[in-house]
Amino acid sequence: VIRSQSLQTFHIRPDSDRNLRMIADLNKMAELIREEAFGYEFAIRSELSALWCLLFQQTEEIRARTVVRNRQDEERIKVMVGFIHEHYREHITLEDIAKAANVSGRECSRCFKRCINDSPFGYLNRYRVQTAARMLLQSGDSIMTIGENCGFSSNSYFGRVFHDMIGCTPSEYRNGKGRSGAL
């Protein structure tokens, strides 16, 4: 399910018994979370397992159409993502990322799109923001220092990118607002 390029999203509509059961499982999990009764985590795990089984069955046809990713793409993306993780603090260009895997800038962009459905800079900024979010919670460094340590060229750019991805400012995040944001 996770590797299926044809299955970016799956809408669960109440138009079949299987989908109705998935909706019921989701509702049951929401109820368990609200009630927080003893052992609710185990009950949620059980509901999640049932949901995954149903989802797996319901998406069988879609997944069958999935073209297996090219091994060369997988190797290239590993190298390029590794480069980003190692050098995210620095000023990185598309050519730097591409050079790490011995490909052109265009091929680098296409490979990112094919493998992770994002651009190299989209991935880079998401990684920087994830790292910054951890640092905001785990260190007492200033927001400006954290932004610089995560490779952002200016404090205002850091704040804008962080807000766009998380839904609140770095300061609000540090103070507890928006921690359920999509990292």
Side-chain angles (χ1 to χ4, degrees), residues 28-38 40:
K28 178 69 174 172
M29 284 185 277
E31 181 182 322
L32 289 165
I33 290 169
R34 272 193 306 276
E35 292 174 358
E36 289 190 12
F38 178 78
Y40 78 100

Side-chain angles (χ1 to χ4, degrees), residues 96-156:
D96 295 330
I97 298 168
K99 188 176 174 184
N102 294 321
V103 297
S104 69
R106 271 188 93 172
E107 181 56 24
C108 171
S109 294
R110 286 192 298 255
C111 188
F112 265 82
K113 184 68 175 167
R114 284 189 303 262
C115 291
I116 57 177
N117 202 29
D118 201 356
S119 70
F121 289 110
Y123 181 86
L124 171 62
N125 277 340
R126 201 169 57 253
Y127 186 74
R128 285 174 169 169
V129 167
Q130 289 171 347
T131 303
R134 278 193 304 275
M135 292 173 76
L136 285 165
L137 299 179
Q138 296 171 355
S139 81
D141 293 343
S142 73
I143 291 171
M144 183 183 296
T145 299
I146 290 172
E148 289 172 0
N149 288 342
C150 290
F152 289 98
S153 56
S154 74
N155 199 35
S156 63

Side-chain angles (χ1 to χ4, degrees), residues 40-58:
Y40 78 100
E41 299 95 338
F42 296 109
I44 289 174
R45 186 175 301 164
S46 176
E47 294 295 330
L48 270 174
S49 294
L51 178 68
W52 271 106
C53 286
L54 291 168
L55 182 64
F56 193 73
Q57 291 170 340
Q58 196 69 353

Side-chain angles (χ1 to χ4, degrees), residues 13 36 69 71 83 93 107 111 127 149 164-165:
R13 295 183 179 91
E36 289 190 12
R69 284 189 188 146
R71 278 212 174 277
F83 178 85
T93 65
E107 181 56 24
C111 188
Y127 186 74
N149 288 342
D164 288 348
M165 288 189 185

Side-chain angles (χ1 to χ4, degrees), residues 83-100:
F83 178 85
I84 287 172
H85 288 195
E86 190 173 326
H87 298 280
Y88 72 94
R89 292 177 177 97
E90 306 163 18
H91 172 74
I92 299 175
T93 65
L94 178 63
E95 289 71 32
D96 295 330
I97 298 168
K99 188 176 174 184

Side-chain angles (χ1 to χ4, degrees), residues 52-68:
W52 271 106
C53 286
L54 291 168
L55 182 64
F56 193 73
Q57 291 170 340
Q58 196 69 353
T59 61
E60 186 172 9
E61 184 180 316
I62 297 168
R63 288 180 292 103
R65 293 186 301 232
T66 299
V67 177
V68 177

